[in-house]
Amino acid sequence: MTTLECLFVRDAFPAVERDAIAARIGRARDLVADWLRAAGLDPPALAIAEPAVAVVYRLGPASHVDYGDGRLYLAWPPDREPPLVHEWIHAFSPPPAGTPGEGHLREGVATHLQSLLSDDPVAPFGRARPAELLARWGPPWPPLRSALDAPFEELGPGLRFRAYALGAVLVERALRTVSPRTLFLEVLGHPAALLRLESALGRDA
């Protein structure tokens, strides 16, 4: 992988802390890249931008990947770290298709792989695994069909948390049958992502 550049906003981070944060961000990227390579994928080909740039700030928008400029934007308040693996998964995924089902699926991929690859807190669940949370909440709500039909961005925080968990469980189960190559190369980034996933499940079963 090429050099990672970390930009720190408003001089809110002392030099020693900047070095430690940059190292954490780099290790998370390496975790994701190693998993992708082991799955037969090519991380540099998947990366939305090379070299990678992470913008780190204390206060501001929630952590996200901007597919316009190719940068990771990481909110790093004093009391917690952002879900780094989750955001790197987005940075190695195709740009969003803008359809509700694809949006839920891509968040499910990022949340599932965060829980699989990292000991970092899985936003927004702490260290609990998504399947455990769904069991704790009782019957998943909103129901699967309703959740996948509603645009992810329009869900309130409480429902969005459940949608993260629901998407992660869906992806965990899909990956028992569908290869990561199929998921990243044929499903993510397509408007009909759920139909493509359904087709792949039937084909690869």
Side-chain angles (χ1 to χ4, degrees), residues 85-129:
V85 167
H86 183 108
E87 299 306 335
W88 278 117
I89 291 294
H90 286 317
F92 286 106
S93 300
T99 54
E102 199 270 345
H104 285 281
L105 186 61
R106 70 191 304 110
E107 293 298 340
V109 170
T111 302
H112 167 63
L113 291 175
Q114 172 83 22
S115 68
L116 179 69
L117 299 178
S118 176
D119 290 331
D120 296 339
V122 181
F125 309 130
R127 298 188 184 280
R129 299 187 68 82

Side-chain angles (χ1 to χ4, degrees), residues 5 14-15 22 26 39 42 60 78 107 118 124 132 136-137 143 149 165 185 193 204:
E5 181 180 7
D42 180 11
E107 293 298 340
S118 176
E132 295 169 355
R136 185 186 312 164
W137 284 329
D149 283 342
L185 300 181
D204 297 343

Side-chain angles (χ1 to χ4, degrees), residues 5 10-11 14 41 46 49 57 60 62 75 78 83 98 101 109 111 119 130 140 142 156 160 167 173 179 191 195:
E5 181 180 7
R10 297 190 182 94
D11 294 326
L41 290 157
L46 292 174
Y57 44 90
V109 170
T111 302
D119 290 331
R160 187 176 297 185
R173 293 175 180 174
S179 73
L195 290 176

